[in-house]
Amino acid sequence: MSLDVRTAAREQVVGQIAEARARHRERIAERATADGSPVRPERIMHELDALLTPDTIVVADASYSSIWMSNYLRARRGGQRFLSPRGLAGLGWGLPMAIGAKAASPESPVVAVVGDGGFAHCWSELETAVRMDLPVTVIVLNNAILGYQKHSELHQFAEHTSAIGITRIDHGAIADACGARGVRVDSAAGLGDALREALGSGRTTVLDVLTVADAFPPVSAWDGDAVL
């Protein structure tokens, strides 16, 4: 089959993609630069995006973390690795996969974006990262809820169960106890410096970022409700 038609349409498609990306940047600009405390996830991704290099590997846990990564970070080269779980029962894979990515590519900076719910599945693997000298940077979106679960229940039933709440845990203290480095970030003002220091530290670092509880990324099922 000839590809002439598709080849001829390439520039038009490239233009459409560029236009859509520009509209997206415009729509999220206010949230991506928002100050204050707790921190909006869009601001976290904005600060992380500014520090990505062509060699950076970003791993996201399941649920909202994967969507924040996919929608708000930009590749610096073809083939750059943005890893996320697809399919059943992926929650909790973020930190272990980041450790695996660091083992596979030790010269690459590796960042894991995880929610507090997913991170609760695998805190103990911080000890593995320290013991095996595989330093990764873990950004914990600490909003004290199972975000996707809460919003899904609200969307479907207009109320949610009591199971979606999580204690506001000090993940930095857990990191310190495991021999890693723990940092609590409670406002947008300190976020950029904390990320730069973590990425340059050469140590497994957990950034425990107090995050806006009711922020959520574009999810087609939430049409009419979603914060874009």
Side-chain angles (χ1 to χ4, degrees), residues 10-47:
R10 175 182 172 85
E11 292 304 316
Q12 179 184 355
V13 173
V14 169
Q16 289 175 332
I17 293 171
E19 182 181 348
R21 291 182 66 178
R23 289 200 306 270
H24 180 254
R25 285 194 298 270
E26 183 178 347
R27 294 180 71 177
I28 68 169
E30 182 177 352
R31 296 183 179 90
T33 58
D35 292 323
S37 175
V39 187
R40 290 202 63 90
E42 298 95 335
R43 176 65 184 270
I44 299 171
M45 295 298 101
H46 177 75
E47 296 289 346

Side-chain angles (χ1 to χ4, degrees), residues 20-102:
R21 291 182 66 178
R23 289 200 306 270
H24 180 254
R25 285 194 298 270
E26 183 178 347
R27 294 180 71 177
I28 68 169
E30 182 177 352
R31 296 183 179 90
T33 58
D35 292 323
S37 175
V39 187
R40 290 202 63 90
E42 298 95 335
R43 176 65 184 270
I44 299 171
M45 295 298 101
H46 177 75
E47 296 289 346
L48 175 58
D49 184 72
L51 297 175
L52 296 185
T53 71
D55 295 324
T56 304
I57 299 172
V58 184
V59 178
D61 214 324
S63 198
Y64 280 164
S65 296
S66 289
I67 309 176
W68 293 123
M69 178 187 73
S70 299
N71 281 270
Y72 295 91
L73 299 181
R74 298 174 295 112
R76 268 43 181 195
R77 63 175 176 86
Q80 186 165 1
R81 295 292 187 258
F82 295 88
L83 309 176
S84 62
R86 311 312 311 149
L88 182 65
L91 195 63
W93 95 314
L95 173 58
M97 179 55 71
I99 295 172
K102 188 67 176 179

Side-chain angles (χ1 to χ4, degrees), residues 50-210:
L51 297 175
L52 296 185
T53 71
D55 295 324
T56 304
I57 299 172
V58 184
V59 178
D61 214 324
S63 198
Y64 280 164
S65 296
S66 289
I67 309 176
W68 293 123
M69 178 187 73
S70 299
N71 281 270
Y72 295 91
L73 299 181
R74 298 174 295 112
R76 268 43 181 195
R77 63 175 176 86
Q80 186 165 1
R81 295 292 187 258
F82 295 88
L83 309 176
S84 62
R86 311 312 311 149
L88 182 65
L91 195 63
W93 95 314
L95 173 58
M97 179 55 71
I99 295 172
K102 188 67 176 179
S105 185
E107 301 305 315
S108 298
V110 178
V111 180
V113 179
V114 304
D116 46 359
F119 194 51
H121 289 265
C122 59
W123 294 335
S124 59
E125 297 305 334
L126 289 170
E127 184 274 335
T128 303
V130 172
R131 173 167 42 86
M132 298 189 69
D133 192 23
L134 294 169
V136 297
T137 297
V138 184
I139 302 172
V140 181
L141 307 181
N142 187 348
N143 60 8
I145 59 169
L146 296 172
Y148 195 101
Q149 184 67 29
K150 177 182 179 179
H151 298 145
S152 177
E153 291 177 10
L154 287 173
H155 178 76
Q156 294 180 71
F157 309 115
E159 58 184 351
H160 63 76
T161 64
S162 61
I164 57 86
I166 302 174
T167 302
R168 185 75 85 171
I169 295 166
D170 187 342
H171 299 97
I174 293 171
D176 290 336
C178 292
R181 179 172 172 269
V183 179
R184 168 64 63 89
V185 180
D186 59 9
S187 71
L191 181 59
D193 287 341
L195 276 168
R196 277 186 287 272
E197 188 171 354
L199 289 166
S201 69
R203 297 180 60 192
T204 291
T205 300
V206 173
L207 299 181
D208 187 33
V209 187
L210 301 189

Side-chain angles (χ1 to χ4, degrees), residues 214-227:
D214 289 329
F216 53 95
V219 178
S220 58
W222 307 170
D223 279 352
D225 304 320
V227 177

